[in-house]
Amino acid sequence: MPRGKTTGKTTGKPARQLLFSEALHQQKHPSVEDPPPLPCTSKADDTQGATMDRILQEISAVSRKLEGMDSAMVALPAETRSMRLDIAGFQSQISGLDQRVATVETQVASWTDRDQELLHLRSKLTDLEDRSRRNHVHLLVFPEGIEGADIFSYLRDTLPKLTDITFDPPLEFQRAHRLGPKRQDGNGRPVQL
């Protein structure tokens, strides 16, 4: 059929458009029987028909893909809504965890203070235990200032003489101190405090 000629008086469409629209109509609404193929009059018409068949096949393949995309697009809002709900749940869980972490951090800070207090109390307890275990010896009636500058040396030398005991190993002193302030300086006057 020549180009641009119409096939019928009522439609006014070119033959190629009619073939295409009929093929689409058949694809959407398949009939029980396919219409008989149109007779081809020339080699050019055969080539044109084969080209049209390929185009129709490609269009139908694209149409199937679009229908698959449509069904996927319908499911997309439901999936998006589900994801939003999941994210909201995660956010509430995270805020709960943040509160718990803040509570734990506060407790850890108080534990640090308690640890320092505990160390202080332990040192006090150790000191008190050491004091209760000490053997306290009070030496009285020594003249004022007789010990000189080194009280340890004086006691180490004087105690074995006074008691007639030889100490082996030699005496060890943890602490030695006077009871009360010195009463007089070297000139016999009272010491000013």
Side-chain angles (χ1 to χ4, degrees):
M1 192 182 287
R3 214 175 177 166
K5 288 194 175 180
T6 58
T7 56
K9 294 180 183 175
T10 58
T11 60
K13 293 183 180 179
R16 211 177 311 167
Q17 282 182 344
L18 282 176
L19 286 175
F20 182 70
S21 63
E22 286 175 10
L24 278 178
H25 181 70
Q26 285 177 0
Q27 189 176 19
K28 287 184 182 177
H29 309 289
S31 61
V32 179
E33 293 181 24
D34 288 336
L38 295 174
C40 295
T41 57
S42 70
K43 223 176 193 187
D45 286 342
D46 287 343
T47 321
Q48 231 178 10
T51 305
M52 289 300 262
D53 287 342
R54 267 188 279 130
I55 291 173
L56 287 175
Q57 288 172 354
E58 289 178 15
I59 289 174
S60 67
V62 169
S63 175
R64 283 192 299 273
K65 286 181 182 178
L66 287 175
E67 286 174 5
M69 291 173 125
D70 284 344
S71 64
M73 293 297 281
V74 168
L76 190 61
E79 289 178 15
T80 305
R81 196 173 309 113
S82 171
M83 290 171 115
R84 282 187 197 152
L85 292 174
D86 289 345
I87 289 171
F90 291 145
Q91 286 175 338
S92 65
Q93 287 178 354
I94 288 171
S95 66
L97 289 174
D98 283 344
Q99 291 173 354
R100 290 174 64 186
V101 166
T103 304
V104 168
E105 286 175 345
T106 305
Q107 289 176 348
V108 167
S110 69
W111 291 343
T112 305
D113 295 340
R114 288 180 190 164
D115 285 346
Q116 290 176 352
E117 183 180 354
L118 182 63
L119 288 173
H120 178 69
L121 291 174
R122 280 184 183 165
S123 69
K124 277 186 162 183
L125 179 64
T126 303
D127 185 47
L128 288 173
E129 286 175 347
D130 286 347
R131 284 178 191 258
S132 68
R133 289 187 203 137
R134 290 183 195 141
N135 295 322
H136 296 281
V137 177
H138 291 254
L139 301 174
L140 303 173
V141 192
F142 278 99
E144 191 74 38
I146 196 167
E147 74 275 1
D150 188 8
I151 195 167
F152 289 118
S153 299
Y154 176 75
L155 290 175
R156 218 175 281 123
D157 294 339
T158 307
L159 285 179
K161 290 178 189 173
L162 289 174
T163 58
D164 288 330
I165 300 174
T166 306
F167 295 100
D168 188 29
L171 287 175
E172 289 184 24
F173 299 98
Q174 286 181 344
R175 294 179 185 175
H177 56 86
R178 311 177 35 82
L179 294 176
K182 284 186 178 183
R183 301 275 185 223
Q184 295 175 353
D185 64 5
N187 296 329
R189 293 179 295 199
V191 175
Q192 299 286 328
L193 297 175

